[in-house]
Amino acid sequence: MKGTSGFWCRKNNLINRGQYHFNLNTALAVFIFFFSLGQQELAAQTVGLNSDSGIEANNKLWYTKSAADWMEALPIGNGKLGAMVFGGVESEHLQLNEESVWAGPPIPEDRAGAFKSIEKARALIFQGDYLEANNVMQDNVLGKRIAPRSYQTLGDLILDFELTGTPTDYQRELDLNDAVARTSFSSNGVKFTREYFSSAVDNAIIVVLTADSPKEITLEVKMNRKDDYEVASIGKNGLRMWGRASQKGKHLGVKYETRLMAVPKGGSMSSENGSIKITNANSVILFVAAATDYNKIEPFSPLTRDLGNTCASTLKKAAKRPVQKLKEDHVKDYQNYFNRVFIDLGPSVGGDKPTNERLEAIKNGVDDPGLMELYFQYGRYLLISSSRPGSLPANLQGIWNDHLAAPWNSDYHTNINMQMNYWPAEVTNLSECHEPFFEFIESLVPAGQKTAREVYNSNGFVVHHTTDVWHWTAPIGKVQYGMWPMGGAWCTRHFMEHYNYTRDTVFLKEHAYPIMKESAKFLLDWLVTDPRSGKLVSGPSTSPENKFYTPKNGKEFANLDMGNAMDQEIIWDNFTNLLKAAKIMKIEDEFVGKVSAALPNLSLPKIGSDGRLMEWSQEFDEVDKGHRHLSHLYGLYPGNQFDAKKTPYYIDAINRSIENRLSNGGGHTGWSRAWIINFYARLGNADKAYENMKALIAKSTATNLFDYHPPFQIDGNFGGTAGIAEMLLQSHETDENGMVILNLLPALPSEWPTGSVSGLKARGGFEVDIAWENGELKSVSLMSSGANCCKIQVGSSIKELSFTPGEKRTITEFK
Ligand code: FUC
C-alpha cells in the first residue's frame, strides 16, 4: 500500500513531511554525540522540544510535570514491544510490555452435547417462559469462566539518577510526528534530554540519555516485576530478567525474557546483582529487547527458541548501528504509516498549552479543534504502535498494561471491543494494521469449528463474547454476556470491509470469502423458524449484556430471546456480504443458493409502540434503560443495513433509541460514547456527533489521552478516531447498480468551519483529500487504485466520476 501526500494541508503541515523538523528560526537545540564502544561507532542525536508550529503542537502530547500515575505516562510501541514512559527526573520509570506475555492455560472447555438442551430452551422462549429458558441455558450450555487468565506486564525498568541542583524548565512529550517520547529539563546549568522510542525495525526499545555538558550522567539501571521474575547481571553492561507468567500460583503461562544493554560514552560502568551503575558518562544509550515462547499458530506448543539468545542477538545487532541511524530508521518506518493522513480541523485555541490544560479546558466547555486533531492522530498512532503486520491484534489495552490480572484480562472481547479497535484501520489509511486482526480471527477457526460441532451440533465456526491468545471459543460464564454466538460472524464483516477498501481480490478469495462462508455455515444451522412469525430467528441469545423484565410478572429479569435485533442484523450482514462476494467471484453453488434463500426469510427488527427500534423480538421493558451497549443499532453502524435512503422508516426509530439511551445515562463508558459518535455521523447529525465527541474527550479521557471505560480501555480511542473520520467522509452506501457513493462532509459540525483532511480511504479503493471553508466543501481530490467509477455526494447533489488506474482527479464544482 502506498501512502500519498495530501495537498490541502495548511502550510505548517509541510513541516511534518521531513523525518526531523529542523527549523533554524526557532533555534531548535541539536546535540550530536558520538560514542565509541570497541569497534562500534555510535552516534546519538536529539532534537529539541518546544517547536512553535501549530500543527506540530497538535501532533504532540506534552506536559510540564512528570507522570504521577500510569494514566499520565506516555505510551510507545512497535506493535509488539511497548512501554509507558513516566518522565521522572530523579527516578525514571518505564513500565514495559510485550504483547504475548499471558497467563494460562487452563482455558474454558466446550460443553459437549449442550445442543440437546438448546431445543428445550427455544421451545420455552416461544411459549414465553424466559426465566426457565435462561436457567436451562445457564445450567446446561454455559461453560466455566476461568479467571484471572490475563495479559500481563513484562515488568519495569527503573533508572535512578544522581543529579545535583533543582530541576527547572521541565517538559515531557510524546511526539506523534516521529513516535518519540522525550523529557528535558535543566539542573545546575546543565540541560538534560532523554528520548525513548520502540523501534519496529530493530525490535527494541531504545533510550537515549544526553546532557549538554560532559560527565553529567550518573545512574543506576534496574529491572523488576510485580511477580514471577528473576534478574541477573550480564557482563558489565547487561541485565536480564526472566520468568514464566502464572495464574493463581500455577506457572503454566508464557515464558519470557527481557534483556537490557547499556552503552555509555565516557565515564565508568559496572554491573552486579541485577543492577548496572554508570558514573559520569557524557551520554548513555539503553537497548531493551524481549522474547517469549508464545506460539501464535499453536498456542499449546510453545516455541523452543532460546529466549536469552534471541534477545542477545537483537541487542547486538541494534547496538552495532549508530543511534542516529536507529532513530532515522524508526522514524522512516513509522512515518510510512503515520504521514499518510493529515488533518486540520481549524485554528487551534490551545496549541500553546500543555495537553492536560487543554483537556481541562474542554471539560469546562471550550471548543478546541486542535485537541480533536490530536485525538484523531493519537488513535492512529496507537494503532500503528499496537498492531503491526506479524503482531497479535490490539487487545483491550492495545499492548499497554501494568497489571498481572488486568481488567477483563485485557483480552479480546468480541461483542464490540475488539471490533471497535479496528474501526479506524481502513478509513484512516492503516490497512496493514488490520492484518493482525484477520490473522487472529482465522486462527480461531479450528477451535470455533469444534465449539460449533460439540456445543451446537453445527457446521461452521463460532466465537462467543470473548476470547484470548489461547484460541478458545466456548460460551462461558453467565448467559447475560456468555450466551451470544455472534462474535465470529461480526468479525467476518471486517474481512469484507478490507476488500471493499482495497479491492484486493486475492484477499477476497483466500481470506474474506472462506471465513464468511465458515461463519454462514454455522448461522444457517443455528437459525430456526419462529412459529409465531414464520421467520428465521437466532437464539437463545442475549442482546449483548443487556437484560429485560420478563412479561410473566414484570419483576424478574432474563437475558435470552429468540430473534434479538442485533443477532438478526449481524446475520443479515454476513449473508449480504457473502452474497456480494460470491457475485464478484462468480460463485453460484448450492451453498450460495442456501444463503440466498435464507436472507429474505430473516426476521428483521421491529419498531415498538413508543417508536423506538426494538432491541428484542418482543416489546420488553429493559432493566437498564441507559445500557452501554447499543447492540440493536448495529445495522446503522458498523453495519450498513439501515440508512435514510434504503430504510427511511427505521431512521426515526433509531434516533429515538439513541436519545432514550442517552437520556437514561447511556454513553457512560468511553467505547459506548464512541459508538454514539459514529451513529450520529451516519445519521448525518453533525451537532450530535460533535457533542458526543466532546463528551468523549471531556468525560472519558485521561491525562495521557487514553480512553477511560473506566478503567483504561483503548477501544474508545479507536472508536473516537473512526468517528471523526466518519464525520468527514462516508462510503458505505452504493447506488442501485452497486456503485460506491462517497459522501463528503456528511456530518461537518459548525465548530470546524474551515479545514482539510488528506489521505483518508474510501470503499471502492479511493484515497480522498477534502478541503472546506465556512462550512462549505471547497475541493475534493480523489485517487483511484484501479479503473473505477464512483459517485460523490455533497449534501443532496450527486455526481458520477470515472477513473483510470492510479488517476487522481480534483473537483471544485459540485452543483
Ligand atoms: C464488554 C462491555 C464491558 C467491557 C468489556 C471489556 O463486555 O460490556 O463494558 O468493555 O467488554
Side-chain angles (χ1 to χ4, degrees):
M1 174 181 295
K2 285 183 212 74
T4 56
S5 56
F7 57 90
W8 276 307
C9 318
R10 68 181 180 220
K11 217 166 112 216
N12 280 341
N13 271 5
L14 295 173
I15 290 172
N16 295 327
R17 309 257 166 96
Q19 288 178 8
Y20 296 106
H21 312 125
F22 291 97
N23 179 339
L24 292 178
N25 292 335
T26 53
L28 296 178
V30 175
F31 310 104
I32 299 178
F33 294 91
F34 292 96
F35 302 87
S36 59
L37 176 72
Q39 299 300 308
Q40 302 159 7
E41 279 294 312
L42 299 174
Q45 171 188 286
T46 59
V47 181
L49 308 166
N50 297 325
S51 156
D52 64 356
S53 130
I55 201 104
E56 229 194 9
N58 283 341
N59 279 342
K60 266 182 198 171
L61 288 80
W62 68 275
Y63 310 84
T64 54
K65 285 195 179 72
S66 62
D69 61 40
W70 197 84
M71 289 299 271
E72 294 191 1
L74 296 170
I76 55 171
N78 66 5
K80 292 169 186 282
L81 188 61
M84 295 294 285
V85 183
F86 281 65
V89 171
E90 270 96 11
S91 185
E92 172 59 298
H93 174 198
L94 270 75
Q95 184 269 313
L96 305 171
N97 281 111
E98 200 282 342
E99 62 170 4
S100 62
V101 180
W102 272 81
I107 59 163
E109 297 291 335
D110 294 320
R111 285 182 73 172
F115 55 86
K116 291 175 194 138
S117 304
I118 293 175
E119 277 312 315
K120 199 170 154 197
R122 281 178 177 152
L124 286 165
I125 292 178
F126 289 138
Q127 288 156 25
D129 195 346
Y130 296 94
L131 273 182
E132 192 47 27
N134 249 43
N135 293 338
V136 167
M137 294 299 285
Q138 185 66 60
D139 295 346
N140 299 289
V141 181
L142 276 289
K144 204 166 155 258
R145 182 167 177 261
I146 304 170
R149 185 191 44 262
S150 182
Y151 173 54
Q152 298 189 342
T153 178
L154 177 64
D156 300 282
L157 169 61
I158 308 291
L159 313 179
D160 283 330
F161 292 90
E162 249 178 49
L163 287 168
T164 50
T166 311
T168 56
D169 304 323
Y170 177 90
Q171 188 172 315
R172 70 183 169 107
E173 68 175 32
L174 172 64
D175 190 344
L176 307 184
N177 298 302
D178 58 9
V180 176
R182 295 185 186 85
T183 303
S184 73
F185 57 92
S186 296
S187 189
N188 240 357
V190 181
K191 179 163 184 182
F192 294 89
T193 305
R194 303 171 184 163
E195 293 193 318
Y196 312 84
F197 56 96
S198 181
S199 164
V201 181
D202 286 283
N203 199 15
I205 290 174
I206 296 165
V207 178
V208 185
L209 310 173
T210 57
D212 67 355
S213 289
K215 299 188 182 170
E216 290 289 346
I217 302 180
T218 295
L219 76 154
E220 185 181 355
V221 183
K222 290 176 290 192
M223 289 198 291
N224 59 40
R225 196 173 185 267
K226 288 176 171 156
D227 204 355
D228 303 327
Y229 76 102
E230 291 179 71
V231 279
S233 294
I234 311 174
K236 66 171 189 170
N237 70 336
L239 294 180
R240 64 181 286 240
M241 176 166 69
W242 72 99
R244 184 165 194 182
S246 73
Q247 68 184 9
K248 290 188 177 161
K250 287 188 193 143
H251 290 80
L252 299 169
V254 170
K255 287 184 187 154
Y256 69 88
E257 175 138 353
T258 315
R259 288 215 177 180
L260 177 140
M261 183 194 281
V263 182
K265 182 193 176 213
S268 59
M269 172 165 63
S270 63
S271 178
E272 53 183 12
N273 301 328
S275 145
I276 302 176
K277 290 203 173 70
I278 299 168
T279 311
N280 295 338
N282 301 334
S283 59
V284 179
I285 306 173
L286 304 174
F287 297 90
V288 180
T292 75
D293 68 350
Y294 176 70
N295 178 352
K296 68 177 173 176
I297 314 286
E298 301 249 0
F300 294 102
S301 308
L303 301 175
T304 52
R305 63 182 177 166
D306 182 311
L307 303 182
N309 284 347
T310 307
C311 294
S313 69
T314 303
L315 293 178
K316 200 169 153 201
K317 233 165 91 191
K320 262 189 192 151
R321 308 200 305 126
V323 72
Q324 191 179 346
K325 189 80 181 95
L326 296 169
K327 202 158 120 188
E328 263 174 32
D329 286 355
H330 158 69
V331 174
K332 192 169 163 204
D333 164 72
Y334 165 78
Q335 289 185 341
N336 169 43
Y337 296 94
F338 186 73
N339 282 3
R340 292 173 189 173
V341 174
F342 294 97
I343 189 163
D344 175 5
L345 297 177
S348 184
V349 293
D352 56 340
K353 299 214 171 56
T355 306
N356 51 315
E357 287 180 25
R358 297 176 81 177
L359 196 59
E360 227 22 65
I362 288 229
K363 286 181 190 165
N364 292 326
V366 169
D367 292 298
D368 181 353
L371 194 64
M372 297 214 177
E373 286 169 29
L374 180 64
Y375 194 93
F376 173 86
Q377 290 292 31
Y378 191 45
R380 296 185 65 245
Y381 167 85
L382 292 173
L383 195 62
I384 300 166
S385 306
S386 63
S387 185
R388 292 279 198 109
S391 78
L392 286 166
N395 62 43
L396 284 172
Q397 300 187 187
I399 49 171
W400 299 280
N401 164 41
D402 67 333
H403 304 276
L404 292 178
W408 291 282
N409 296 319
S410 195
D411 65 11
Y412 298 113
H413 266 59
T414 44
N415 63 9
I416 176 72
N417 319 86
M418 188 190 191
Q419 291 92 334
M420 185 179 278
N421 282 1
Y422 287 89
W423 286 356
E426 300 292 338
V427 65
T428 75
N429 211 335
L430 296 174
S431 208
E432 302 96 317
C433 296
H434 215 162
E435 283 176 25
F437 178 95
F438 302 131
E439 193 184 20
F440 181 75
I441 299 303
E442 287 179 333
S443 74
L444 295 178
V445 170
Q449 287 171 329
K450 181 168 165 284
T451 303
R453 215 168 40 241
E454 293 186 355
V455 178
Y456 297 104
N457 198 22
S458 277
N459 292 301
F461 100 112
V462 61
V463 179
H464 291 78
H465 83 291
T466 193
T467 183
D468 63 32
V469 296
W470 302 104
H471 298 180
W472 55 274
T473 50
I476 57 148
K478 297 262 178 282
V479 288
Q480 179 165 342
Y481 51 83
M483 190 52 238
W484 188 71
M486 293 292 135
W490 182 342
C491 291
T492 67
R493 86 171 326 275
H494 284 245
F495 289 73
M496 192 62 192
E497 287 289 43
H498 182 72
Y499 166 76
N500 288 337
Y501 276 93
T502 60
R503 293 276 162 109
D504 180 344
T505 46
V506 176
F507 181 86
L508 183 71
K509 185 161 171 259
E510 293 178 2
H511 299 278
Y513 190 76
I515 202 140
M516 289 193 296
K517 182 171 177 183
E518 212 45 40
S519 179
K521 282 186 200 163
F522 171 77
L523 298 174
L524 284 175
D525 285 357
W526 168 247
L527 285 165
V528 291
T529 301
D530 187 332
R532 300 164 299 186
S533 65
K535 289 287 187 185
L536 292 172
V537 288
S538 161
S541 177
T542 181
S543 181
E545 314 211 11
N546 211 349
K547 45 184 184 253
F548 54 84
Y549 289 111
T550 57
K552 220 173 193 174
N553 59 17
K555 287 195 186 107
E556 287 159 311
F557 58 79
N559 314 98
L560 304 181
D561 184 25
M562 296 298 298
N564 72 56
M566 179 182 237
D567 284 18
Q568 300 303 121
E569 292 164 33
I570 289 177
I571 298 170
W572 184 94
D573 201 30
N574 172 273
F575 286 0
T576 305
N577 284 330
L578 181 133
L579 294 177
K580 181 179 163 190
K583 195 169 168 201
I584 295 164
M585 291 161 52
K586 303 192 169 46
I587 299 173
E588 290 173 1
D589 57 15
E590 196 190 331
F591 186 78
V592 170
K594 279 189 191 163
V595 174
S596 316
L599 182 61
N601 281 325
L602 284 177
S603 164
L604 295 182
K606 296 191 261 307
I607 296 171
S609 57
D610 60 1
R612 286 187 291 152
L613 194 81
M614 280 164 55
E615 180 157 359
W616 295 281
S617 70
Q618 313 299 310
E619 209 170 344
F620 296 134
D621 199 6
E622 65 263 70
V623 178
D624 178 359
K625 295 189 191 317
H627 199 264
R628 60 196 181 285
H629 287 262
L630 292 97
S631 307
H632 46 321
L633 309 186
Y634 171 97
L636 175 68
Y637 188 98
N640 63 350
Q641 187 177 359
F642 308 140
D643 63 49
K645 285 178 211 148
K646 277 201 303 262
T647 56
Y649 42 91
Y650 274 138
I651 299 305
D652 180 55
I654 288 169
N655 269 308
R656 283 171 191 254
S657 292
I658 306 172
E659 278 158 25
N660 195 271
R661 279 286 214 270
L662 280 172
S663 62
N664 285 290
H668 50 283
T669 70
W671 62 257
S672 178
R673 181 73 66 184
W675 201 352
I676 292 168
I677 300 163
N678 285 280
F679 288 143
Y680 277 128
R682 278 276 163 101
L683 291 167
N685 190 334
D687 290 345
K688 291 279 180 198
Y690 180 81
E691 186 184 308
N692 283 282
M693 187 62 221
K694 205 167 157 185
L696 176 67
I697 296 183
K699 296 184 181 169
S700 303
T701 302
T703 306
N704 62 4
L705 301 191
F706 267 173
D707 173 68
Y708 264 131
H709 180 288
F712 166 48
Q713 213 167 275
I714 207 162
D715 40 20
N717 285 103
F718 293 132
T721 298
I724 291 175
E726 200 67 22
M727 289 162 80
L728 302 175
L729 173 69
Q730 292 175 18
S731 58
H732 55 283
E733 287 183 35
T734 50
D735 73 2
E736 55 291 351
N737 301 315
M739 190 185 291
V740 176
I741 303 171
L742 273 60
N743 195 344
L744 309 174
L745 304 178
L748 183 72
S750 54
E751 288 80 0
W752 305 339
T754 298
S756 64
V757 64
S758 65
L760 289 183
K761 287 283 193 157
R763 294 171 186 82
F766 296 97
E767 188 161 314
V768 186
D769 302 344
I770 307 168
W772 64 95
E773 215 171 78
N774 302 323
E776 298 281 323
L777 183 67
K778 205 169 110 196
S779 54
V780 60
S781 172
L782 297 147
M783 198 183 75
S784 169
S785 53
N788 208 350
C789 298
C790 71
K791 285 183 174 169
I792 54 170
Q793 178 179 350
V794 184
S796 56
S797 89
I798 295 192
K799 199 172 188 149
E800 190 173 325
L801 301 169
S802 61
F803 295 81
T804 56
E807 189 188 1
K808 188 165 185 170
R809 296 187 55 181
T810 299
I811 293 109
T812 50
E813 273 301 314
F814 304 102
K815 297 279 175 250

